[in-house]
Amino acid sequence: MTREEVENGKDYMLIDGEDNAVPDGFNADYLKAYYGKLFPCADMFKWLSYGNDGKHPGCDHSYSGRREFSFTLDNDIYLRFQSFNTASELESAIKEKCPFKIDIGPVYSVDPSKRHAYSQGGDNIFTPVERELVFDIDISDYDDVRYCCSGADVCLECWPLMTVAIKVIDTSLRDDFGFSHILWVYSGRRGVHCWVCDGKARRLNNEQRAAIADYFRVYKGNENSNKKVSLVGPALHPFLARSYTDVLQGYFEKRLLSSQNLFLNEERFEKILEMIPDESITSELRGKWLSNKRSKEDINVVRWEQLKHLLSSKKGQGHRRCIEEIVFSFTYPRLDMEVSKHMNHLLKAPFCVHPKTGRICIPIDPNKCDELDPSAVPTLSKLIGDLNAGGFIAEGDNEWDGTSFVQCVKYFKEHFLDPLHKSCKEEIETSYNAKVKQSRNSISW
């Protein structure tokens, strides 16, 4: 049996019964119910078509069929270079294969499923021509500055680091680069993904994508480096200064400082003292903190204020810069740079079910990202329970209105998809009219 012939093989799950309780976490048996009843396949296809699924003469009807989808099946069987010309084709394939994960790739110059036929001609015409500008941020990359969790584990004490990342990156993408159509998605376990979908973003080449990624690059250290960031110049870049004042400083002092107990003991405060190059300052602070004078106030706040006061009292730009570098080291977004730099990088699709947690990869409203609790994100089992409680049994139309899924889909449609689709239709109309005018001018000449 070939990989393309692999099928789940289980009958469509009946979700009725007297007991509505459903086991927590990921359950492969419920995937067909989820894909059949809840997964917003039509909206996903509409998003990725960017208006080219319409009847306007300016539409590129080959566009959708040149987009790569990748399915990961049970036992880590990968089906790369899948392509679909219509929403019904995509929906049928998802229901048939029941993938544990769906990844989205670029739009290629030719249909990716027929790439081998083109390669026989000798010309390398199979190449990515369009792809969203994407960002991938994982909480595990912050393990050196969080003490509540490690690895893929996450809790409400360290999740604000992801909130900081969303606020900083989203604001810059909109204000500094002029992008409008931005989709943030919870990865389902330990991080967030960002999809920048403006036409000018999708058409960036690899060099331009790398330049934007490098614009955000501040965190350059590793686990063996005392200094985690590189803030150059006599003053912070306006983007960094704005991020520090509007986001980083507040989250560091009001949330992370105490929630992570950054100055709780010698091991932890020594990590911070190592970032200060002035030995006289570090010696004085170390002496104070090792004296173990008790205080009714939060020891983390007291020690941070002592550090700031001593550094601020010294002359020279470098001492104030130390304060900024400490805050940046603990809070500034840490991007997976390679994901953003290359057009052909795959990224997990929104609304997938994470196979480790059972959580849905839901869209995140950047204006309300402070409210997101990853432990409260809808899970596959919760949604199946909602369907059971609602009495939905037979396969039919999507039924998310009766589930805890409804707000997720509503946000995706109303705040992201509808404005994007309107913009794409206007762009297609403008481009078509320009071509018609140019053609008429050529004929007149």
Side-chain angles (χ1 to χ4, degrees):
M1 179 179 293
T2 66
R3 287 183 174 181
E4 286 75 7
E5 295 171 330
V6 174
E7 296 181 1
N8 192 289
K10 297 176 182 175
D11 293 332
Y12 191 92
M13 177 191 164
L14 295 179
I15 51 178
D16 58 341
E18 296 181 0
D19 186 4
N20 290 331
V22 178
D24 291 334
F26 180 85
N27 190 317
D29 292 339
Y30 301 138
L31 271 180
K32 280 196 173 182
Y34 174 71
Y35 285 136
K37 304 294 292 183
L38 296 174
F39 186 76
C41 193
D43 289 330
M44 290 284 289
F45 190 86
K46 182 178 180 180
W47 160 37
L48 296 170
S49 297
Y50 294 106
N52 287 296
D53 55 341
K55 297 181 179 180
H56 192 282
C59 292
D60 179 358
H61 295 293
S62 73
Y63 184 90
S64 299
R66 292 185 282 115
R67 166 81 69 170
E68 178 189 1
F69 289 83
S70 174
F71 292 169
T72 303
L73 310 185
D74 195 6
N75 297 318
D76 288 333
I77 296 175
Y78 298 96
L79 304 182
R80 287 286 310 272
F81 301 111
Q82 308 291 294
S83 63
F84 309 98
N85 290 301
T86 64
S88 59
E89 285 184 11
L90 175 62
E91 182 177 7
S92 296
I94 290 175
K95 288 181 178 180
E96 177 189 0
K97 300 291 194 302
C98 204
F100 278 33
K101 188 177 72 160
I102 303 171
D103 287 296
I104 299 173
V107 176
Y108 284 94
S109 52
V110 296
D111 183 344
S113 66
K114 301 175 182 177
R115 65 196 181 282
H116 295 306
Y118 292 101
S119 64
Q120 293 176 357
D123 296 326
N124 185 22
I125 62 171
F126 178 65
T127 183
V129 294
E130 195 170 301
R131 205 267 190 277
E132 298 77 10
L133 175 64
V134 295
F135 298 92
D136 182 9
I137 309 171
D138 284 340
I139 196 76
S140 55
D141 291 330
Y142 294 76
D143 279 357
D144 62 313
V145 296
R146 61 178 184 143
Y147 298 104
C148 54
C149 304
S150 63
D153 293 333
V154 64
C155 70
L156 288 179
E157 302 298 332
C158 57
W159 185 255
L161 290 165
M162 295 294 97
T163 301
V164 167
I166 293 173
K167 288 179 175 289
V168 169
I169 302 300
D170 187 80
T171 299
S172 182
L173 288 171
R174 297 178 192 276
D175 294 352
D176 300 339
F177 292 96
F179 296 129
S180 302
H181 305 291
I182 302 171
L183 178 66
W184 287 93
V185 181
Y186 171 52
S187 70
R189 190 180 190 187
R190 61 183 179 183
V192 294
H193 298 156
C194 176
W195 301 74
V196 186
C197 302
D198 299 62
K200 60 183 179 180
R202 304 195 310 268
R203 291 185 281 272
L204 293 170
N205 60 35
N206 286 341
E207 290 74 19
Q208 293 166 331
R209 292 165 193 269
I212 293 178
D214 285 334
Y215 178 83
F216 294 116
R217 185 180 177 90
V218 168
Y219 181 83
K220 298 182 179 180
N222 55 50
E223 61 182 8
N224 298 317
S225 303
N226 294 334
K227 193 174 180 179
K228 299 294 184 181
V229 301
S230 177
L231 303 178
V232 298
L236 290 178
H237 183 282
F239 155 62
L240 298 178
R242 181 186 66 220
S243 300
Y244 180 80
T245 303
D246 295 349
V247 183
L248 304 182
Q249 186 177 26
Y251 268 82
F252 179 83
E253 295 184 342
K254 296 176 182 178
R255 299 290 297 273
L256 301 176
L257 190 63
S258 297
S259 68
Q260 297 300 317
N261 287 305
L262 299 182
F263 289 84
L264 180 64
N265 53 44
E266 183 177 2
E267 179 184 359
R268 295 186 183 183
F269 69 62
E270 280 294 341
K271 180 184 294 186
I272 295 174
L273 291 180
E274 288 174 352
M275 301 181 197
I276 303 173
D278 191 324
E279 292 186 6
S280 65
I281 293 178
T282 59
S283 179
E284 182 176 343
L285 290 172
R286 186 180 295 108
K288 285 183 179 181
W289 298 345
L290 290 176
S291 65
N292 290 321
K293 291 183 178 179
R294 299 199 173 187
S295 172
K296 294 182 180 179
E297 300 180 60
D298 186 334
I299 193 173
N300 301 287
V301 176
V302 170
R303 290 175 172 176
W304 173 244
E305 291 300 324
Q306 290 174 341
L307 182 151
K308 285 201 302 179
H309 175 74
L310 193 54
L311 283 171
S312 299
S313 66
K314 301 293 184 179
K315 293 183 179 180
Q317 177 72 22
H319 292 94
R320 191 182 74 178
R321 180 56 55 84
C322 281
I323 298 174
E324 296 167 343
E325 288 183 340
I326 291 170
V327 173
F328 271 85
S329 294
F330 279 84
T331 60
Y332 188 79
R334 304 182 179 187
L335 307 178
D336 185 334
M337 301 294 286
E338 296 305 311
V339 172
S340 303
K341 289 181 177 181
H342 303 291
M343 293 181 70
N344 60 355
H345 203 291
L346 297 172
L347 192 64
K348 183 167 36 178
F351 299 108
C352 278
V353 182
H354 197 290
K356 300 291 185 181
T357 64
R359 294 175 187 160
I360 310 298
C361 300
I362 62 168
I364 301 171
D365 183 347
N367 296 316
K368 299 180 180 178
C369 57
D370 303 80
E371 303 173 10
L372 180 68
D373 177 357
S375 65
V377 166
T379 62
L380 179 61
S381 55
K382 175 67 169 63
L383 295 180
I384 297 303
D386 290 344
L387 289 175
N388 281 340
F392 302 113
I393 300 175
E395 182 175 4
D397 295 334
N398 292 313
E399 300 288 356
W400 50 65
D401 283 344
T403 73
S404 54
F405 199 42
V406 59
Q407 292 302 322
C408 304
V409 179
K410 184 177 181 181
Y411 170 79
F412 179 78
K413 288 168 64 69
E414 296 181 1
H415 295 276
F416 171 71
L417 181 57
D418 289 348
L420 172 65
H421 190 62
K422 179 182 178 182
S423 175
C424 290
K425 288 171 64 177
E426 292 173 351
E427 184 178 345
I428 290 173
E429 176 72 19
T430 300
S431 176
Y432 176 75
N433 289 339
K435 290 179 181 178
V436 170
K437 183 177 180 180
Q438 183 179 15
S439 176
R440 288 173 179 172
N441 290 340
S442 299
I443 295 175
S444 298
W445 176 257

